[in-house]
């Protein structure tokens, strides 16, 4: 048994030595390809969200939970809002962020450094007002309902021009709402000096609004925002209707007309009591160019899961989509939004599936290179084993040559002693069983030379 193990180990050693250079070459090519392609993403990523209790913050938490299932830690970076998120992306302090259309002026370098992962949802402009403040509207600015609108007993706010003299909170500059509202107010020829504008953050502004220190407050947020849902159901608080929502969408490419259906907030309480027309910018998930493509794939897949359901302003699978984007669309987003989860990821862990998906082409190229080279291994293996036998034939031929040279002064005793030493060494040669015929041939040839020497 010990000899069998010895021969097996010897054969394996010879095979390893023969194939070793090719294995090392294949490993080196794989390492080089891995370094160049960088198939596995970093395990940490920073997502710029928004203020506390905002829809952005809630969505950020959902993204973090979903990506944590694949071992990715999403660090949520609070911000003042959309415009602040865009600034964080420009400065490289965030890898991804929620950015609302029309809330910041575009810069020439944005298209070179940033790209969109698709539109996620619409964020209507919610202009909440205190119903008792409607009495401040001058009679000349009160707009009568059109023939399509039902008559209303209570006065309502239905034009931005009616805000003159009101105390209005437009949000912080980082939220992007002031920039958006300035565009809307300017289109209505409203002089900003005629308004008492404040720029409080969302929570303190809501507290001041409910306390009566503000007449109106403006949000641009998804309906998932806790503040929006609370104010929609607060008595004495009204939501401005935008009868000209279609006109706004024609004037501003980043706006879409949407309708808050009657009773969608609370069917039993019939909130809102009538359809409310709103204007809504679209929010996209924006990333810095150079973010690992596997991370982008995960975020888009998470976005399909989070934003793909039906909602107040969308139908099932309507979002995410590739429409209404102000920045170039990431190629990874185009593939992931249009297609389901990749085949391998349905059955393997993300890390294994991602490695195979991003390395298969390189592995195929390496295999195509190595297959022809691998044909050298069997002859090299055979040469290595046989060389342990054939190298003794030189000494054997030398002995035979000196036997034939009568005048060289070679004695038979010295040659016989040298031949015996050669035979002793040959008996210690170990080769795999498949090459023992070569070894026995060497021993037979030694015996033939010995017989020839003994005849002299």
């Amino acid at each position: 048994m010990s000899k069998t193990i010895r021969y097996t180990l010897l054969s394996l050693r010879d095979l390893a030595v023969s194939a070793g250079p090719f294995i090392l070459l294949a490993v080196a090519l794989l390492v080089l390809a891995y370094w160049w392609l960088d198939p596995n993403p970093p395990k940490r990523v920073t997502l710029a969200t928004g203020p506390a209790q905002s829809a952005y913050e809630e969505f950020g938490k959902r993204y973090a939970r979903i990506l944590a299932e694949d071992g990715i830690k999403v660090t949520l970076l609070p911000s003042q809002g959309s415009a602040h998120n865009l600034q964080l992306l420009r400065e490289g302090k965030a890898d991804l962020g929620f950015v609302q259309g029309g809330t910041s002026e575009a810069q020439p370098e944005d298209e070179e450094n940033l790209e969109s992962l698709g539109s996620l949802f619409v964020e209507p402009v919610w202009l909440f007002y205190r119903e008792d403040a409607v009495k401040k509207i001058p009679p000349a600015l009160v707009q009568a309902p059109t023939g399509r609108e039902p008559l209303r007993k209570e006065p309502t706010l239905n034009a931005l021009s009616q805000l003159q003299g009101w105390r209005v909170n437009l949000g912080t500059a980082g939220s992007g709402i002031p920039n958006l509202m300035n565009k809307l107010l300017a289109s209505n020829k409203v002089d900003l000096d005629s308004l008492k504008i404040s720029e409080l953050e969302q929570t303190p502004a809501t507290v001041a609004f409910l306390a009566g220190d503000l007449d109106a407050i403006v949000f641009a947020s998804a309906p998932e925002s806790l503040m929006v849902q609370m104010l929609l159901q607060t008595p004495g608080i009204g939501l401005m209707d935008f009868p000209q929502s279609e006109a706004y969408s024609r004037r501003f490419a980043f706006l879409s007309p949407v309708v808050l259906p009657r009773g969608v907030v609370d069917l039993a309480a019939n909130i809102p009591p009538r359809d409310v027309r709103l204007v809504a910018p679209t929010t996209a998930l924006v990333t810095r160019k150079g973010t690992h493509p596997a991370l982008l794939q995960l975020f888009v897949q998470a976005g399909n899961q989070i934003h793909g359901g039906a909602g107040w302003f969308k139908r099932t699978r309507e979002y995410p989509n590739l429409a209404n984007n102000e920045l170039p669309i990431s190629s990874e987003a185009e593939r992931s939004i249009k297609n389901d989860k990749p085949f391998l990821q349905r059955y393997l862990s993300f890390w294994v599936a991602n490695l195979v998906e991003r390395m298969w082409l390189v592995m195929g190229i390496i295999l195509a290179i190595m297959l022809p080279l691998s044909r050298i291994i069997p002859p090299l293996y055979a040469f290595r084993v046989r060389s342990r036998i054939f190298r003794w034939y030189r000494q054997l031929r030398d002995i035979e040559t000196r036997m034939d040279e009568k005048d060289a002064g070679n004695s038979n005793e010295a040659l016989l002693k040298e031949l015996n030493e050669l035979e002793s060494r040959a008996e210690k040669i170990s080769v795999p069983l498949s090459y023992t015929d070569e070894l026995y041939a060497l021993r037979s040839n030694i015996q033939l030379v010995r017989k020839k020497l003994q005849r002299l």
Side-chain angles (χ1 to χ4, degrees):
M1 180 62 70
S2 61
K3 287 186 177 181
T4 303
I5 295 175
R6 180 185 176 189
Y7 291 143
T8 302
L9 293 177
L10 181 65
S11 179
L12 291 175
R13 186 192 69 180
D14 289 327
L15 183 60
V17 172
S18 302
F22 301 94
I23 295 174
L24 291 176
L25 177 60
V27 171
L29 290 174
L30 282 173
V31 171
L32 182 63
Y34 186 92
W35 171 79
W36 181 56
L37 292 176
D38 189 21
N40 281 331
K43 294 190 176 183
R44 288 179 175 270
V45 62
T46 302
L47 173 63
T49 54
Q53 298 182 337
S54 66
Y56 288 175
E57 182 188 50
E58 178 60 29
F59 286 136
K61 291 177 181 178
R62 296 187 194 178
Y63 276 97
R65 285 195 295 269
I66 292 175
L67 267 71
E69 297 175 1
D70 291 311
I72 305 294
K73 179 176 176 55
V74 179
T75 301
L76 303 181
L77 181 60
S79 70
Q80 297 175 6
S82 173
H84 191 198
N85 288 349
L86 190 56
Q87 188 62 33
L88 291 172
L89 288 167
R90 288 167 176 164
E91 295 173 356
K93 296 179 180 178
D95 301 305
L96 301 101
F98 300 109
V99 176
Q100 188 183 85
T103 57
S104 180
E105 298 298 334
Q107 296 183 3
E109 61 271 18
D110 285 347
E111 290 198 5
E112 298 178 4
N113 301 325
L114 304 176
E115 56 187 4
S116 172
L117 298 187
S119 300
L120 303 181
F121 48 87
V122 292
E123 290 192 281
V125 175
W126 308 92
L127 200 160
F128 293 100
Y129 62 92
R130 296 182 61 85
E131 292 179 348
D132 54 10
V134 179
K135 299 175 184 178
K136 297 182 181 181
I137 301 176
L141 297 179
V142 175
Q143 297 184 7
T146 65
R148 296 182 180 181
E149 299 179 47
L151 295 175
R152 303 171 186 173
K153 296 181 180 180
E154 74 281 357
T156 60
L157 182 70
N158 54 16
L160 292 177
S161 58
Q162 297 172 341
L163 294 176
Q164 296 182 28
W166 283 33
R167 300 165 297 175
V168 182
N169 186 80
L170 299 184
T172 60
S175 66
I177 304 302
N179 185 49
L180 173 61
M181 285 302 298
N182 286 342
K183 294 177 181 178
L184 300 185
L185 290 169
S187 67
N188 283 270
K189 300 179 181 179
V190 176
D191 185 0
L192 295 181
D193 293 334
S194 67
L195 305 178
K196 298 176 182 178
I197 296 175
S198 60
E199 294 186 352
L200 300 176
E201 293 184 0
Q202 193 176 78
T203 300
T206 303
V207 173
F209 177 60
L210 295 176
D213 297 330
L214 294 171
D215 298 315
I217 186 171
V218 182
F219 299 144
S221 175
E224 286 84 356
S225 170
L226 297 178
M227 290 293 187
V228 170
Q229 298 201 23
M230 182 269 291
L231 290 173
L232 284 171
Q233 302 179 67
T234 302
I237 303 300
L239 175 63
M240 176 179 167
D241 180 42
F242 284 80
Q244 299 169 313
S245 58
E246 282 287 348
Y248 279 108
S249 68
R250 305 294 175 85
R251 292 283 300 273
F252 302 100
F254 55 84
L255 290 179
S256 301
V258 295
V259 175
L260 183 67
R262 173 183 176 181
V264 72
V265 178
D266 189 331
L267 286 170
N270 194 30
I271 300 175
R274 63 187 64 83
D275 290 350
V276 181
R277 291 156 294 187
L278 302 171
V279 292
T282 302
T283 293
L285 185 60
V286 175
T287 182
R288 290 178 57 82
K289 287 187 178 179
T291 303
H292 199 285
L295 276 179
L296 303 185
Q297 184 186 76
L298 283 179
F299 268 94
V300 174
Q301 290 175 6
N304 290 335
Q305 183 176 340
I306 294 171
H307 308 291
W312 289 1
F313 303 104
K314 61 179 180 177
R315 300 183 185 277
T316 302
R317 301 286 293 178
E318 186 177 353
Y319 287 91
N321 61 43
L322 304 177
N324 299 326
N325 283 275
E326 297 178 301
L327 291 168
I329 300 292
S330 163
S331 57
E332 196 67 44
E334 289 190 38
R335 287 192 295 269
S336 300
I337 288 177
K338 294 178 180 179
N339 303 314
D340 293 330
K341 183 179 288 190
F343 176 78
L344 291 178
Q345 288 189 29
R346 301 175 198 172
Y347 305 101
L348 302 174
S349 69
F350 164 74
W351 295 95
V352 176
N354 176 72
L355 181 63
V356 174
E357 288 171 4
R358 301 189 185 278
M359 290 287 289
W360 70 268
L361 181 58
V362 173
M363 292 172 68
I365 294 173
I366 293 175
L367 189 62
I369 294 173
M370 296 305 298
L371 276 177
L373 292 177
S374 65
R375 296 178 181 178
I376 304 174
I377 295 177
L380 187 62
Y381 173 75
F383 172 78
R384 176 175 174 79
V385 174
R386 288 175 175 174
S387 65
R388 290 206 294 268
I389 301 172
F390 292 162
R391 62 178 179 156
W392 299 109
Y393 276 101
R394 175 183 296 180
Q395 186 177 354
L396 182 61
R397 186 173 60 178
D398 181 62
I399 293 173
E400 187 176 14
T401 301
R402 283 183 287 158
M403 286 169 49
D404 296 334
E405 295 176 354
K406 303 297 185 179
D407 54 348
N410 297 313
S411 64
N412 289 353
E413 291 79 7
L415 293 175
L416 185 60
K417 181 180 179 182
E418 190 175 345
L419 191 62
N420 289 335
E421 291 176 357
L422 174 59
E423 185 179 25
S424 177
R425 292 172 183 171
E427 290 175 351
K428 296 178 182 179
I429 298 174
S430 296
V431 294
L433 293 176
S434 57
Y435 291 89
T436 51
D437 57 333
E438 307 279 357
L439 180 59
Y440 286 119
L442 173 61
R443 292 179 180 177
S444 298
N445 291 328
I446 291 174
Q447 292 299 325
L448 289 174
V449 175
R450 174 180 280 108
K451 290 178 181 179
K452 181 177 180 181
L453 182 60
Q454 289 175 349
R455 288 198 301 266
L456 294 178

